[in-house]
Amino acid sequence: MNPAATNPAAAPALPAGLRATPRLDRWLAISAEGHVTLSPGKVEIGQGILTALAQICADELDIALERVRLLPAATASSPNEGVTSGSLSVSECGLSVRQVAAQVRGLFLAEAARQLSVATEALSVEDGVISGPGNLSTSYWELADRVSLAFDADAAVRPKPPSRRTLAGRSAPRIDIPGKVFGTRPFIHDIVLPDMLHGRVLRPPRPGATLSALDETQLSEIGGLVTLVRDGSFLGVVCRTEAKADAALGRLASAASWTGGFDLPDAQNMPSWLKSQPVEASVVDLRGEGPGPSAPRRLVRHYLKPYLAHASIGPSCAIASWQEDQQGETLHVFSHSQGVFNLRADLALVFGLPENAITVTHVEGAGCYGHNGADDAVLDAALLARAVPGRPVRLRWSRADELVRSPFGAAMAIEIAADLSEDGAITGWRHEIWSNGYVARPGRADSPALLASFDLEQPFPLYISQDPSLATGGGAQRNAVPLYDFPSWRIAKNRLLTMPLRTSSMRALGAFGNVFAIESMMDEIAEELGEDPLAFRLRHLSDERARAVLERATAMADWGNASVPDERGRGIAFARYKNTSAYCAIVAEIDLSAQPRATQLWIAVDVGEAINPDGVINQIEGGAIQAVSWTLKEEVTFTRADVTSGSWESYPILRFSEVPAVSVEIISRPELPPLGAGEAAQGPTAAALANAVHAALGVRVRQMPITRDRIIAAMEL
Amino acid sequence: MSGGTSLTVNGRSHSIASVPQAILLDVLRNELGLKAARFGCGEGLCGACRVLVDGRPVASCDTPLWSVSGKAITTVEGLGTPDAPHPIQAALIAEQAMQCGYCISGIMISAAALLAETTEPSEIAIREALDPNLCRCGAHNRVIRAVQRAAAEMRASAA
């Protein structure tokens, strides 16, 4: 019997992570030495999740934050919490940790009450020391060996009420920052294992190309080469040092001949290309019976979002070791994957190994908040390691491969049609998307999604990216359904069934393109009707939390009153991320005296309970700055044969001199469930900038990136 | 010919075994085990690999070893320690000025070089000094505040 249990009849549901992994001791351990060790299934990708979880845990247990130790996510030991994505780390993992810690506290208090012969209600806890009446005292640490955590989570246990939290809700300093400042906290690129070798992989020069010949005479004199690995069109080298591996890769490139490859999209005419592909058409959402066939006035507008690259500052990296012994073959890998269990599932598919023969352990890599080459690099490393059993191989991609061979965020053509009544009300709304899917993460299908698996002698079929249902967040259709009170709408999606450029989850998924389109359209209609864009939005918005962020952001910017300098303009935009998560409204100011430059963003956000307010601000500001970069600068470029944006010169991102001032205000709601902050700002940033361009010049740019050339082109239309 | 290049790194002199054509970043990371300077692009375009060479910030990823023979190299490991942090290190912690942190080593080097030149940098001067450093997570404004904080700290302790 669980002594901490209370009234099970009133139990709310457990968080998903605890339903999957209910045992308390899989999540948390308390040591006699005075430490609490947390084992979350979510991973640190720069969002500060480890600190937020430590705060939640320390708060429930009444201990100092410094006592909490975090284990990296690992298939061998962690609860399976799926992928760290969708801005769900705090709302999913955080609530599991809170529940576990509350129950563990109860178990310890029950044991203390027994030891001290007092009622649990008479006990209090301060930094792990449990005190009772008089001088009675014990501690978590003294009781650590006596209290079993071999219980399942119990939904009837109630965590502390918000008013009694002292750490969650405060801006605790990130626990990983000092190690990064002093260069002592390793990224995966820094890890050295005994006898470790170094690998490099030569990718086909164009997607879908196959190896037609390899001139081995050119490879005979490569110094330091341990082995060459060829499996179909997969080519790699294993060398004793990184420098030798780089040199060997150069030789390999000149020795290899390739043939064939996919025809890439027509970069000059993306909307036509997207609309001419075979698709899976679906209706995402219908309100009422959808808009009628005719209306007194109908505005139709076409928007375009290009392919975008994750562009992590550090190229993807992995370490793999392959072991063969009497028990059979095993594979152990270190990875900066966002989903260690999902990655393991795909590795098992590729190698035909049982999942329990494979371990995946997370180590931090360079961030980007999306599905970059991290998982692909692991298969590369494993294929090389299989050729040198018993010796670990560290594999690192090149800069060009990181920019060209990582999955992209999909290009999207979006068409919106708005029906207006005679008196200027929106009576019908159509939103239609043409896009590749936004999710080709590993571990979701019976066929792997890892890049090298398509190039093997026995190749797996190219995994065409999918979209989750709207109920689970959606992919290309994320945020395609407006939050406005329109009486009827029809939201439709055409998911491409061809995929010459590989696409997968990029931060915010389809929300970036959809919010850009919806919020641009709202301004276009407001202009058509001669209304102020803020008043027009509020007129169609009854959700109080939505109104509150719009009113706050515009108040911050003194919207409508502030004088805006010449050649500058201001725009607003709003979205509720996924229509179920954080609310975010943004006022953006843009300077158009030279290349478009964002000068300032005023952002108001409502994330429900903000566990770490400074962490929320960091995520919102970082997300907005990344979105400024996407909106004003970024675009994957390609010919019909290959991607041409393989360096920082051909794929420039925002620099320090181009970064706007950003102010963020949080509308505090400690009584409401915490919502993720990482992806709320991207869509509104894009639309606010487009609307700002229009405010400055009267020119509507409906295609990103919004460059000077695009503005000039829009003027000439 | 191999080896024999002499180099002073973080105040210690080394006789380097790597060939003179070796890349400085590779020597630092793989021969000397100094991992704070990071590989980002190999073309000197992102700043993640920056180190100080006789006080000036240099991209170590496309710098051959021979070209810095006899010079003094400073990496982040040589800037400061938790007990005696460089002002920019203390300020980055105070401002919580990073997300993933992969770019931060190179940024610290650029900032340290600027602060050695002046403890009264304008915001524009800070942005210019950091312009060779790319950051994907969007921590730029916090980094700028950290440089300003470090500068103020240095002015105060000099007064």
Side-chain angles (χ1 to χ4, degrees):
Chain A
M1 187 199 119
N2 184 344
T6 55
N7 176 15
L14 286 167
L18 284 177
R19 291 200 299 275
T21 309
R23 278 270 296 241
L24 303 179
D25 53 4
R26 291 287 303 279
W27 294 82
L28 193 152
I30 293 186
S31 79
E33 289 73 41
H35 300 133
V36 173
T37 304
L38 264 185
S39 180
K42 299 283 185 184
V43 303
E44 182 66 52
I45 50 178
Q47 83 282 44
I49 182 63
L50 298 184
T51 307
L53 296 177
Q55 285 178 267
I56 290 170
C57 174
D59 225 354
E60 286 303 322
L61 286 172
D62 289 310
I63 57 171
L65 193 59
E66 296 70 32
R67 292 188 184 275
V68 183
R69 306 280 160 95
L70 274 299
L71 293 180
T75 56
S77 54
S78 307
N80 183 351
E81 291 195 88
V83 181
T84 302
S85 65
S87 298
L88 297 167
S89 305
V90 168
S91 59
E92 287 185 348
C93 187
L95 294 184
S96 294
V97 165
R98 177 172 281 165
Q99 185 72 25
V100 167
Q103 192 169 341
V104 167
R105 183 181 196 274
L107 291 168
F108 274 83
L109 285 186
E111 179 62 21
R114 253 194 302 280
Q115 296 279 327
L116 304 175
S117 304
V118 296
T120 52
E121 294 72 33
L123 297 172
S124 64
V125 186
E126 193 177 338
D127 193 20
V129 174
I130 305 171
S131 306
N135 288 327
L136 289 177
S137 159
T138 179
S139 70
Y140 291 152
W141 335 119
E142 282 175 53
L143 298 175
D145 295 334
R146 294 197 201 125
V147 177
S148 169
L149 301 184
F151 290 102
D152 282 355
D154 179 351
V157 174
R158 296 295 167 80
K160 286 180 178 177
S163 59
R164 288 187 47 221
R165 294 178 198 142
T166 57
L167 289 168
R170 250 191 32 198
S171 293
R174 285 249 307 270
I175 58 183
D176 55 324
I177 283 184
K180 289 172 177 173
V181 160
F182 296 108
T184 52
R185 185 182 177 95
F187 287 91
I188 189 166
H189 311 71
D190 306 333
I191 289 180
V192 177
L193 298 177
D195 290 329
M196 188 171 78
L197 299 169
H198 297 271
R200 295 287 186 268
V201 165
L202 182 68
R203 297 251 97 91
R206 117 184 228 185
T210 54
L211 185 67
S212 55
L214 187 65
D215 177 5
E216 303 222 7
T217 60
Q218 290 195 43
L219 306 173
S220 54
E221 289 161 25
I222 296 178
L225 180 70
V226 176
T227 191
L228 170 76
V229 177
R230 178 179 178 179
D231 185 338
S233 294
F234 175 84
L235 266 185
V237 288
V238 179
C239 293
R240 277 191 282 279
T241 68
E242 277 202 280
K244 298 285 188 200
D246 282 328
L249 183 66
R251 298 284 285 273
L252 198 56
S254 65
S257 306
W258 304 84
T259 186
F262 305 139
D263 273 340
L264 300 193
D266 179 0
Q268 306 312 314
N269 210 346
M270 277 305 292
S272 305
W273 184 83
L274 287 163
K275 290 176 181 177
S276 63
Q277 299 303 300
V279 298
E280 173 198 76
S282 59
V283 175
V284 174
D285 198 43
L286 204 59
R287 173 172 278 191
E289 297 185 348
S294 64
R297 271 161 104 186
R298 176 171 288 166
L299 261 62
V300 183
R301 296 290 185 268
H302 303 269
Y303 302 93
L304 188 66
K305 179 221 153 219
Y307 292 100
L308 292 173
H310 290 290
S312 297
I313 304 299
S316 293
C317 182
I319 301 172
S321 37
W322 191 277
Q323 310 283 340
E324 293 172 359
D325 58 26
Q326 293 87 338
Q327 275 86 52
E329 295 170 308
T330 57
L331 171 63
H332 303 282
V333 303
F334 294 95
S335 171
H336 53 110
S337 169
Q338 290 178 256
V340 292
F341 288 91
N342 292 50
L343 172 57
R344 183 180 66 171
D346 263 21
L347 292 170
L349 287 174
V350 174
F351 291 110
L353 290 173
E355 289 195 2
N356 62 14
I358 303 171
T359 64
V360 181
T361 302
H362 184 262
V363 183
E364 284 179 56
C368 70
Y369 299 108
H371 178 199
N372 71 345
D375 299 279
D376 297 325
V378 171
L379 177 56
D380 292 348
L383 287 165
L384 299 183
R386 186 171 59 170
V388 287
R391 298 195 70 177
V393 175
R394 188 170 70 208
L395 176 287
R396 177 179 56 64
W397 278 16
S398 66
R399 167 52 40 202
D401 282 349
E402 186 69 23
L403 284 170
V404 171
R405 307 300 171 206
S406 290
F408 297 127
M412 301 171 82
I414 299 166
E415 182 178 308
I416 298 184
D419 292 346
L420 303 175
S421 65
E422 302 284 4
D423 58 355
I426 296 177
T427 55
W429 182 271
R430 287 187 185 77
H431 181 127
E432 185 163 6
I433 302 162
W434 291 262
S435 172
N436 266 120
Y438 262 84
V439 183
R441 286 191 186 272
R444 306 266 171 110
D446 54 9
S447 182
L450 302 170
L451 179 57
S453 72
F454 317 132
D455 294 330
L456 301 177
E457 182 74 44
Q458 304 283 320
F460 290 88
L462 179 68
Y463 184 93
I464 305 291
S465 56
Q466 309 282 318
D467 286 321
S469 70
L470 204 57
T472 54
Q477 79 276 38
R478 181 170 291 181
N479 276 91
V481 179
L483 206 73
Y484 296 104
D485 310 325
F486 306 146
S488 77
W489 60 53
R490 183 178 191 278
I491 315 298
K493 177 172 70 101
N494 303 280
R495 181 178 67 87
L496 270 60
L497 300 176
T498 54
M499 195 179 66
L501 290 172
R502 202 162 64 114
T503 65
S504 188
S505 305
M506 185 147 189
R507 199 176 191 186
L509 277 60
F512 180 65
N514 287 321
V515 173
F516 167 71
I518 293 172
E519 290 295 295
S520 294
M521 187 70 177
M522 287 300 281
D523 260 41
E524 297 207 42
I525 303 167
E527 191 210 1
E528 189 79 13
L529 299 174
E531 282 192 55
D532 172 75
L534 171 63
F536 181 67
R537 281 174 176 76
L538 292 174
R539 187 155 76 79
H540 289 91
L541 205 48
S542 56
D543 183 321
E544 286 302 326
R545 292 172 77 182
R547 297 176 67 91
V549 288
L550 263 170
E551 283 162 354
R552 176 75 70 93
T554 48
M556 287 164 68
D558 199 14
W559 177 262
N561 300 316
S563 73
V564 181
D566 281 352
E567 299 190 276
R568 292 192 181 190
R570 289 184 177 188
I572 60 172
F574 154 80
R576 181 180 196 191
Y577 185 53
K578 298 184 194 174
N579 290 21
T580 56
S581 189
Y583 294 82
C584 182
I586 298 184
V587 178
E589 183 179 278
I590 198 161
D591 180 310
L592 297 165
S593 54
Q595 275 291 347
R597 186 174 64 87
T599 52
Q600 191 157 1
L601 303 176
W602 296 264
I603 307 178
V605 63
D606 170 357
V607 295
E609 178 196 358
I611 306 284
N612 184 329
D614 189 59
V616 169
I617 291 170
N618 205 356
Q619 277 294 295
I620 292 291
E621 173 168 345
I625 289 173
Q626 190 178 38
V628 170
S629 186
W630 292 347
T631 306
L632 300 183
K633 299 193 70 145
E634 296 185 31
E635 177 172 35
V636 173
T637 58
F638 44 88
T639 64
R640 296 312 289 254
D642 196 20
V643 178
T644 52
S645 46
S647 84
W648 293 121
E649 285 176 328
S650 46
Y651 195 90
I653 65 173
L654 206 66
R655 290 183 175 277
F656 270 90
S657 57
E658 301 168 319
V659 168
V662 181
S663 40
V664 181
E665 290 187 11
I666 298 173
I667 295 180
S668 176
R669 302 195 187 273
E671 73 288 358
L672 294 178
L675 304 168
E679 298 166 294
Q682 283 81 351
T685 299
L689 287 167
N691 292 337
V693 169
H694 184 269
L697 302 176
V699 174
R700 178 57 58 178
V701 183
R702 302 188 185 93
Q703 178 176 0
M704 293 187 282
I706 302 172
T707 59
R708 193 173 176 80
D709 287 350
R710 287 262 162 73
I711 293 172
I712 291 168
M715 285 174 173
E716 291 166 352
L717 282 180
Chain B
M1 168 186 163
S2 80
T5 307
S6 64
L7 210 58
T8 303
V9 182
N10 299 333
R12 283 186 54 195
S13 51
H14 296 268
S15 180
I16 302 298
S18 300
V19 295
Q21 298 76 22
I23 297 299
L24 178 59
L25 178 65
D26 188 55
V27 172
L28 294 171
R29 289 179 58 83
N30 291 326
E31 183 171 341
L32 300 179
L34 297 167
K35 302 289 193 183
R38 308 196 175 284
F39 180 88
C41 65
E43 300 172 303
L45 295 174
C46 74
C49 66
R50 284 192 141 198
V51 299
L52 295 174
V53 176
D54 288 345
R56 293 189 43 236
V58 165
S60 65
C61 74
D62 63 352
T63 297
L65 178 61
W66 60 261
S67 71
V68 293
S69 173
K71 296 190 174 173
I73 313 291
T74 306
T75 70
V76 162
E77 288 91 342
L79 277 187
T81 62
D83 292 333
H86 186 283
I88 187 61
Q89 291 174 310
L92 285 165
I93 294 172
E95 294 289 342
Q96 295 285 290
M98 72 192 69
Q99 289 186 23
C100 81
Y102 195 89
C103 66
I104 209 67
S105 291
I107 286 174
M108 284 190 274
I109 293 295
S110 299
L114 173 69
L115 292 169
E117 219 169 82
T118 172
T119 57
E120 292 180 359
S122 66
E123 187 183 323
I124 289 173
I126 295 171
R127 287 180 188 270
E128 275 174 11
L130 299 183
D131 231 29
N133 295 90
L134 298 180
C135 162
R136 190 49 161 168
C137 301
H140 308 74
N141 288 332
R142 285 175 183 243
V143 168
I144 290 164
R145 289 201 292 275
V147 178
Q148 290 167 333
R149 177 190 280 258
E153 201 63 40
M154 290 169 80
R155 290 196 301 273
S157 54

